Amino acid sequence: AVVSTQSTGDIMHHEMGSKYRDNVISNLVSCTSKDPLVKTLVMHYVLTLAQNRNIERLKMVLPLIPDSISTLDEVFMHVLVSYLLQYQSEWKQADFCKAVFNSFLNKYGEDEVVLRHVLRLLWTAHLHLDPDLVTETLENIAPQPSHSSQVRDLFMQLSERTAVVDT
């Protein structure tokens, strides 16, 4: 028999603490467009979650960001993608992949900085991802003529690379 050392009060306190923390994070993210300091705190929080592989929190926070933060900077994207590149088994979780790609990264498709880092992430992680998700993401982030030739070339190479893997 399994014996729990937690009392009902401890469990309720933990659940209430979790709901409170979720509300605080949601409110912080919604304030990022008004205050650069709050934006910095939220970005640091996301990087800490990614570094610690806190998948559940990332799934909650990442979809909130595009509504409040219109652009992501180079340093943030580089560090975030560097952490995400270390994941392997996490990419087998469809809800995590949807949070990262569909609800977060794909929302910044016009932004060259984000696009470059999404291509970098897909270049390495596409073997661990659902092929339909890779195809959908590539369709969503297809570079425009206004993007640099470097990004357009990398996109074409990645498209060819993933097409070879799919066949």
Side-chain angles (χ1 to χ4, degrees), residues 52-112:
N52 294 323
R53 294 179 182 235
N54 191 331
I55 303 306
E56 294 306 313
R57 289 269 160 220
L58 281 171
K59 288 189 301 191
M60 186 204 81
V61 173
L62 289 177
L64 300 174
I65 292 175
D67 292 334
S68 300
I69 300 175
S70 59
T71 60
L72 301 173
D73 67 37
E74 178 75 37
V75 173
F76 171 77
M77 284 305 302
H78 179 81
V79 176
L80 177 62
V81 169
S82 295
Y83 288 138
L84 294 175
L85 285 171
Q86 297 172 19
Y87 293 11
Q88 288 186 7
S89 63
E90 292 84 351
W91 295 122
K92 294 182 181 8
Q93 298 177 31
D95 55 342
F96 175 64
C97 292
K98 287 179 182 175
V100 171
F101 288 100
N102 298 356
S103 300
F104 178 59
L105 294 173
N106 288 354
K107 303 288 183 179
Y108 294 97
E110 299 292 320
D111 187 328
E112 176 137 353

Side-chain angles (χ1 to χ4, degrees), residues 19-154:
K19 289 178 185 175
Y20 175 76
R21 184 175 48 241
D22 291 351
N23 287 336
V24 169
I25 298 302
S26 295
N27 288 333
L28 272 175
V29 171
S30 67
C31 292
T32 58
S33 62
K34 299 173 193 134
D35 189 339
L37 179 59
V38 175
K39 177 182 176 181
T40 301
L41 289 172
V42 169
M43 296 293 97
H44 181 72
Y45 180 67
V46 168
L47 294 177
T48 301
L49 293 176
Q51 180 183 24
N52 294 323
R53 294 179 182 235
N54 191 331
I55 303 306
E56 294 306 313
R57 289 269 160 220
L58 281 171
K59 288 189 301 191
M60 186 204 81
V61 173
L62 289 177
L64 300 174
I65 292 175
D67 292 334
S68 300
I69 300 175
S70 59
T71 60
L72 301 173
D73 67 37
E74 178 75 37
V75 173
F76 171 77
M77 284 305 302
H78 179 81
V79 176
L80 177 62
V81 169
S82 295
Y83 288 138
L84 294 175
L85 285 171
Q86 297 172 19
Y87 293 11
Q88 288 186 7
S89 63
E90 292 84 351
W91 295 122
K92 294 182 181 8
Q93 298 177 31
D95 55 342
F96 175 64
C97 292
K98 287 179 182 175
V100 171
F101 288 100
N102 298 356
S103 300
F104 178 59
L105 294 173
N106 288 354
K107 303 288 183 179
Y108 294 97
E110 299 292 320
D111 187 328
E112 176 137 353
V113 168
V114 176
L115 179 56
R116 202 166 3 93
H117 287 286
V118 172
L119 293 171
R120 181 175 148 235
L121 177 59
L122 285 174
W123 189 271
T124 302
H126 75 275
L127 295 173
H128 303 288
L129 296 169
D130 176 3
D132 292 335
L133 176 69
V134 173
T135 302
E136 179 183 341
T137 300
L138 287 174
E139 289 170 0
N140 287 332
I141 64 166
Q144 303 301 314
S146 61
H147 288 111
S148 69
S149 62
Q150 176 190 14
V151 166
R152 291 192 312 269
D153 292 346
L154 182 58

